[in-house]
Structure formats: C-alpha cells, structure tokens
Amino acid sequence: MAGTFGNPEVVQEEVDILIIGGGMAACGAAYEIMPWIGAAKEAGVDITVKLIDKAAMDRSGAVAQGLSAINTYIGPNQDPADYARMVSNDLMGITRDDLAYDLGRNVDDSVHLFEEWGLPIWKTVNGERFDGATWPKEGGKLLKDGGEPVRSGKWQIMINGESYKWIVAEAAKKALGSDNIQERVFIVKLVNDANDKNRVAGAVGFSTREDKVYVYKFKACLLVAGGCVNIFRPRSVGEGQGRAWYPVWNAGSTYTMAAEAGAELTMMENRFVPARFKDGYGPVGAWFLLFKAQATNAYGEVYMTKNKELLNDYPPYGQAAVPASCLRNHLMLKEMKEGRGPIYMDTVTALAKLRETLSPREVKHLEAEAWEDFLDMCIGQCGIWVGENIEPEKKNSELMPTEPYLLGSHSGCCGIWASGPEDVGAPTTEEHPEADKIPAHLPQGWNWGYRSMTTVRGLFTAGDGVGASGHKFSSGSHTEGRMCAQSMVKFVMDNKDWVPTLDTSVEDLVNEIYQPVRTFLEHKDYTTAIDVNPHYITPRMLQFRLQKIMDEYVAGVATYYTTNGHMLAVAEEKLGMLKEDAQKMRAKDLHELLRAWENYHRILTAEAHMKHIQFRKESRYPGFYYRMDYNLVDEENWHCFVNSVYDKNTKTWNVFKRAHKDLVDKSKLFKPAAH
C-alpha cells in the first residue's frame, strides 16, 4: 500500500548483515564480503546482506568530490610500526597502537586494488615523473609489482583522483550486486534486542524520495555513516551551510546511533581543526608536502620557525620530526591573536624555487598541478582563486584554521571503542578465563574476538566510527571495512541460530520517525507564514542554535577555540533546553525530515563532545582547543583514554578513564628537547 505524507508505507525486511553507509568503509565491506559469504555457504550457512545508503554510493562519503592524494600507503620499504608511531604522535600520544598497526600492515592491499580498478597513481620511472594521465611506453609497473609512487610525504602518494569514489563504488556495487543495495534511505535509529539489551537486532529509517519507513532486522550490522560536520558555526556564513571542509552530510549519525544502542565511545573530546585556504576550504597538503611551500604571517615571517620555541612547552610531541597537527595550529594562532595576520601560503616563493631547477615544460606541468590539486577535490577553491584574481605563481593565498570537525579517519580520533586484532591486543578480562596469564605487554580490554566490533554485540564499525585510531584516511577506511566484512560473517556463523527480536514495536518506531511531519501537519495552519509558528521550529533554525552554542561556549572560532569549566556548564544547560525544543522540530517535506533527523544526531554528538571536554581536565590538543582553566598537557594524570557510555532511558552520560598503553616504542620519533 502506497504511503502518504504523514502516513508512510512501512517496509519490513530481515537480513543477516546490514551495512549502513555508502562511503569508503562501506565500499570496502561491500567489495570484500561476498567471498566470505560464499565460504560460509560451503560450510552450510546461508547469509544474506544488504547495504543502505542515505544518498548514492557513487558520491557518498568524504571522498565524494575526489582527492588528489592517498594519504595512507605504507609501501614495501616502510614499517607499519613506524606508521603507528606517527599516528600516536600526531594525536598527542593517546591512540590504540593495536588498531593503527593492524591497519598499517593491511592497507596497501586496498591501494593496489584501487589501481587495478583504474585509479591513476603518479609514478616515477627512470627519474621522470608521470601523473597517471600520461605514461611511458616502457616501465611504470603497478605498485604491487614494484612501481615507485610519487610521494608527497612519508605516507602519502599522489593520484589523479577526481573519479576516485566512482571507481571504488563501481567495484563495490559489482561485487555486492544491485539487488543488495538500497540507496536514498536514511537509517536514523538502531534497535536493541528485546532479550539482550547489549545486542543490536534492527535498524529503522525512511526514504528520502518516497513516503516509506524501512524497518530491518539483522544478526550483525556495520555502522559506517561518517563523522560530524556543522555542529559548530562555520567560518563561511550563509553559503557555509553547504560549504565546509568535511562533507556537510556527515551529521554524527555514526556516533549518536552507536551511543543510543549502548556502545562505549572513546576520545569524543578530540576534534580536528584543519588549516585550509580561506573561504574555499581548499586543501593544503600538496602545497606543503609536494610543492614545499611555507606558511607566513602578514610580514612574511615563517611562523613555524619564528615560534618554534613554543613546541618545547609540549614534550615530547613538539620534539618529533613532524610536530603534531594541533601544535602547528598552535603556532599559527599565536600570530593571529597577536595581530600579525592574515596568514598566507607562500605559493609565489615555492613555485619560483621549483622553477630554478625545472625546464619550461616541467614548469607548465607544475602550474597545472597547482590547479589540479583543487580540481581533484575542492573545485570551489578554484572559484575563489578566479573570483579574487589569484594566480598562485604571482599572488599568495590566505590560510585560516576552520571550524572544528569530529571524525576518526583523518587527523582526528574520536569515535567508538572497538575490538582490535587478536594477535596484538589481549581479550577482555570478563571473557578470558585465564586473565592472569595474559602477557604483561598486552593491554586488557582491547579485544573481544571480532575485529572492529563495538562493545554492543553484533554492532561493528569502521572508518570515522573507530575511535582512538586516526590517520586512516580513504584507503584505511576502505581497509577497515574489508576487515569488518570477514568479522561480521564469522560473527553470523557463530550465531547462526539466533533470532533477532526488536525491543520496540514497529508502530512506535514509525511514530517516532515521522513525528516532525505530524507536528507540521497538526500546526501548519495556525499561522499564515508556515516558517513562523509557536508550535514548532524549523530544522534550519534549530541547527543555527546548535552551532551558536557550540561556537561560543565549546571552543569554536568565536573564542579562538578557547573554553573553560564555566562556559561548558552554560553549554550543558543550553544543550539541555535545545534537546527539549528539538522534540518540536517540524518537517514540511521529506527533505526537512532528513534535516530534522540529522539535527537529532548532531545534538547528541555535540553533547558527547562537550561532556568529554568537561571531563578531561587538561588541554590535550592545543591549537584544536584550549581549556583555559587547565591550559596544559597533563601527562601525569591524563595520559589516558576518556570513554563514555550513554543511557538512552535516563538520557545521561557516564564518562570515565581507560588506561593507555604503548605497544610500539615511541622514543624513535623524538629528538632531544632544546634548552
């Protein structure tokens, strides 16, 4: 029966494995899972799978607009342990070495697949560089056969990536099969099992194109719906609702749905504040790493050199060969606060120096690469350059730290506490009958049998969802999705006779999903202007309120990323009132229903972020945020994970410490501190 607005058709389905999301992690799982399902069938267990994407896989996720580099590629001559060391240092020492190391030893295989599927990777052949669009008649072997990539950094390789996501999505769709993919359905809520509250049994969402609500039951679920954008007021006003550095459709759905299901979160105080080209949010990585450009203040001074003594305030992280990302921001912010802005990327000097050693043909190619970097992944920045008459070889461009983002796959590590590899981490004490025999060098509570399963049985995550393990980027997220595919099939086989039972009725789920629609239909005629009504608030207005609270009280751009205990208490009170008012959000159409549910997810994610900063009484990430009442990195008391569990019934948070442990020797990273 066809649904109507306010009375949607209800579609119920049961599958063994549900994949929620369409980004790189989801594509990795989709590509990898069918052979494992085939193996299960040979063992006598039939397993069904379905992928649900809020948008369309071709352009879903953080890679949607393209990329100019793959930022995680180890290569045959580097050690995954060194990669784990880098991840730890860049995130100020609090990461899961088991997760980072496991990723490092597996990620190259995904990159090799990308190249096989048609992704052009820049190579060096006999000393000459080729950009993937052109290729020599001889040489140019595939990476896996010994081809030498053009590296822009120790772990980064250059690509022609404007079609990166199309290529990866095509392979995923072919592998999984179109019958197992449902696009334009927004999953907004996980449902626990009626007989086991620490287990997921289902999920519910709605079509963004038709009046339909979908209710799924399953044995296992992969929750990979990205990070969180637009909880802070963006620097770009007005058009900023659609212009940010991270993809605007990432609404914290991963974190909120996992938290409401009872999953333990970790490091939700962490955020990423990237320095980017002003207004267009254009990437800076290639300019720093490939073109060797430097950032200066308005007087042409290189602030990383001018302010380098500040790095000694944060040992050992400031003494690494490459200081932590937040500390590089810290040095920039000193210039801005003391009135020596604007900050510039010195593109003119960088390109001039490169011309000194290049032929005219190579110079022309280089200038094309300067534009290609944006055309691959942030075409809006090209518009800024054109609109402001900027030629990078003649005029420098402004840099600016952005508003904060919450993510777990880039230079950030907030997310969900996930099970690590069995050969690196130790089993949890509760499930290990001989816990006293666990080797002392292995941390307890980091592994419970299935790679990337959360603390809720049957709920897996990858990419932005896995906390305490940043710097996965696109290739790493794809790799983690592939790991989850194997883990989920194993979990289903181990629980083949288990039958999911939802702890909430379908009727109640449908009523909850469509409440914003019914609020609108009930009250829309009370006023002559439907956007002004005492009985409801529009999703757009509610989002503005959320962004204002977070920006002004939880260390946004308005306060130069500073906060304190008193400001956080105000934020806590205002977020509480906002949550009440959110129950009165309206949805005049399916698009607004989507925006309403994105707001629900953003609010709870924002609250988790605030609660964690409130709990951690130090400033672990100077340059990303400062708690001015605890403006130091306190290694003695806070070299630990901050984790939390949300109770959806009481709507309260339990925030607590978890012990940190290094599994790789970090001393190799650091040089002696200057005196």
Side-chain angles (χ1 to χ4, degrees), residues 177-195:
S178 59
D179 291 344
N180 298 319
I181 298 171
Q182 178 80 52
E183 296 181 330
R184 307 295 180 184
V185 171
F186 184 15
I187 298 295
V188 298
K189 193 176 186 65
L190 296 177
V191 186
N192 294 88
D193 185 66
N195 303 309

Side-chain angles (χ1 to χ4, degrees), residues 80-136:
D82 286 336
Y83 165 73
R85 292 183 184 97
M86 177 276 295
V87 174
S88 177
N89 180 73
D90 195 65
L91 292 162
M92 299 297 282
I94 313 296
T95 54
R96 288 269 300 272
D97 286 344
D98 61 330
L99 298 174
Y101 178 80
D102 194 31
L103 181 76
R105 65 184 176 178
N106 288 290
V107 68
D108 287 5
D109 189 55
S110 278
V111 179
H112 298 159
L113 286 172
F114 301 158
E115 188 175 32
E116 289 179 16
W117 297 337
L119 180 67
I121 296 177
W122 295 16
K123 303 276 183 36
T124 300
V125 181
N126 298 325
E128 188 173 1
R129 192 168 77 199
F130 296 88
D131 65 6
T134 59
W135 206 245

